[in-house]
Amino acid sequence: MSVPAALADILYPEIEPYETGFLLAGDGQRVFWEQSGNPDGKPVVFLHGGPGGGTAPWHRRFFDPEAYRIILFDQRGCGRSTPHASDPAAALRFNTTWHLVADLELLRRNFGIARWQVFGGSWGSTLALAYAQSHPEVVSELVLRGIFTLRRHELEWFYEGGAAALFPDLWEHYLAPVPVIERGRMIEAYHRLLADPDPAVHVPAAQAWTRWEASTVTLRPDAELVEAMTESESATAFARIENHYFLNGGWLREGQLIEDAAAGALRGIPGVIVQGRYDVCTPPMTAWDLHRAWPEAEFVMVDDAGHSAAEPGIAAALVAATDRFAAS
């Protein structure tokens, strides 16, 4: 995906990594990482969405490259990490929220970082909260966008039919691969299709799953984004990993991340919550629930935005947050 022209004056200029490599995370997993910006700057780790979305070069641009040591990594099974989940033979049993939390902590220790800022949107906000609540002492700040916590009603809203009230035309394309008799449990039905080893079955299913998400993440349709996300290999990994996580509720107890925030797990960690008012994928109710549980965090509602970090108002709020924390 290329960065929209509207973001040219919002994000920092393009930069290249000064170092790349792979984290040998165990279980046969090789997790790709990169570092850019200032090697002596404030450490920040970027957590991409999905799960299964992977990172992109423009993700570096939310951070002042003179102030930050910018760390991006592709979570298990996606992007440049291997084994890639587009391969039906790639097992997902070693790909859970808690495996990713462990990968993050191993990455931090390998880099010799005492504390770092954690920046994540959508699924990245889920992972950021799980990590920060597990390791609060190593998180200097949290910058979160499009809050998603995998509660049952969040999943049912977007993947089981709630959002169809707003996008009935797009919903029909999401329904199409699933036999009528199975449409009462769409996540389970897609799990069967995506696990089928036959590409004639799992690829169209993956593209339909991914097209639904790609078509609804922005306030206005973005044909280029939809085309990029539905490329067969990336769509297959994206859909397989997302569905695997959603079927299992993220290996979280119901409401865990909000409840733990309310219990004080995030006390003492400065934070910013950025939310699009018209976010259909992760509606504002979850961001508001988190804000009520963690009132110390600044809450920014962007009134002319959907879900994507590429929405100008959301991008501007995220850059303002990282600029604010750059010197702290």
Side-chain angles (χ1 to χ4, degrees):
M1 171 189 165
S2 60
V3 180
L7 299 189
D9 295 329
I10 297 173
L11 301 180
Y12 282 95
E14 294 182 7
I15 54 172
E16 294 297 321
Y18 62 78
E19 186 179 21
T20 64
F22 286 90
L23 176 74
L24 302 182
D27 311 316
Q29 305 290 318
R30 299 175 74 247
V31 174
F32 177 85
W33 56 262
E34 64 165 59
Q35 297 195 80
S36 58
N38 180 355
D40 298 317
K42 179 186 182 76
V44 59
V45 61
F46 178 98
L47 307 184
H48 65 69
T55 57
W58 72 281
H59 294 154
R60 307 168 193 141
R61 299 177 60 188
F62 288 103
F63 313 98
D64 180 346
E66 295 186 4
Y68 279 100
R69 176 183 175 185
I70 306 160
I71 300 162
L72 273 58
F73 78 105
D74 292 332
Q75 296 159 28
R76 293 186 179 208
C78 68
R80 290 153 289 186
S81 295
T82 60
H84 201 267
S86 60
D87 181 355
L92 296 179
R93 65 183 180 277
F94 300 121
N95 196 334
T96 72
T97 302
W98 304 111
H99 284 97
L100 300 186
V101 166
D103 291 348
L104 258 172
E105 187 59 3
L106 181 59
L107 194 66
R108 182 190 68 83
R109 291 173 178 270
N110 281 4
F111 284 148
I113 294 171
R115 300 176 78 227
W116 56 1
Q117 181 182 124
V118 181
F119 179 112
S122 192
W123 157 257
S125 74
T126 319
L127 180 56
L129 288 168
Y131 178 76
Q133 291 174 3
S134 300
H135 302 282
E137 70 284 355
V138 304
V139 178
S140 59
E141 302 94 14
L142 283 168
V143 178
L144 307 177
R145 184 265 311 167
I147 307 304
F148 179 48
T149 65
L150 277 81
R151 292 178 296 182
R152 188 65 211 173
H153 65 270
E154 296 174 47
L155 295 170
E156 288 178 348
W157 160 259
F158 193 61
Y159 296 98
E160 299 287 359
L166 297 176
F167 297 101
D169 50 340
L170 301 177
W171 184 254
E172 283 196 10
H173 295 294
Y174 176 72
L175 288 176
V178 178
V180 174
I181 197 171
E182 296 183 46
R183 291 179 181 176
R185 294 181 177 271
M186 292 293 289
I187 292 173
E188 291 183 17
Y190 262 100
H191 181 71
R192 179 183 62 78
L193 295 170
L194 294 167
D196 194 302
D198 185 355
V201 176
H202 70 247
V203 171
Q207 290 174 320
W209 173 284
T210 306
R211 183 177 297 277
W212 164 244
E213 188 159 333
S215 300
T216 53
V217 293
T218 50
L219 188 60
R220 295 183 180 276
D222 185 336
E224 182 184 350
L225 174 64
V226 173
E227 181 179 2
M229 287 186 64
T230 53
E231 182 276 324
S232 60
E233 183 174 293
S234 59
T236 300
F238 182 81
R240 286 191 74 214
I241 294 172
E242 274 204 342
N243 179 269
H244 168 65
Y245 273 70
F246 300 164
L247 186 71
N248 290 284
W251 297 271
L252 300 161
R253 71 176 186 275
E254 179 68 13
Q256 177 177 337
L257 299 179
I258 302 294
E259 289 175 7
D260 287 358
L266 303 178
R267 295 292 186 268
I269 301 177
V272 176
I273 300 166
V274 177
Q275 178 67 40
R277 171 72 72 182
Y278 300 106
D279 184 340
V280 174
C281 300
T282 60
M285 60 181 181
T286 303
W288 191 249
D289 288 345
L290 177 61
H291 176 53
R292 291 175 66 189
W294 180 35
E296 297 85 354
E298 179 186 357
F299 183 85
V300 182
M301 183 72 83
V302 182
D303 285 329
D304 59 349
H307 179 71
S308 174
E311 306 270 13
I314 289 180
L318 292 172
V319 170
T322 62
D323 282 351
R324 168 183 158 191
F325 292 135
S328 61

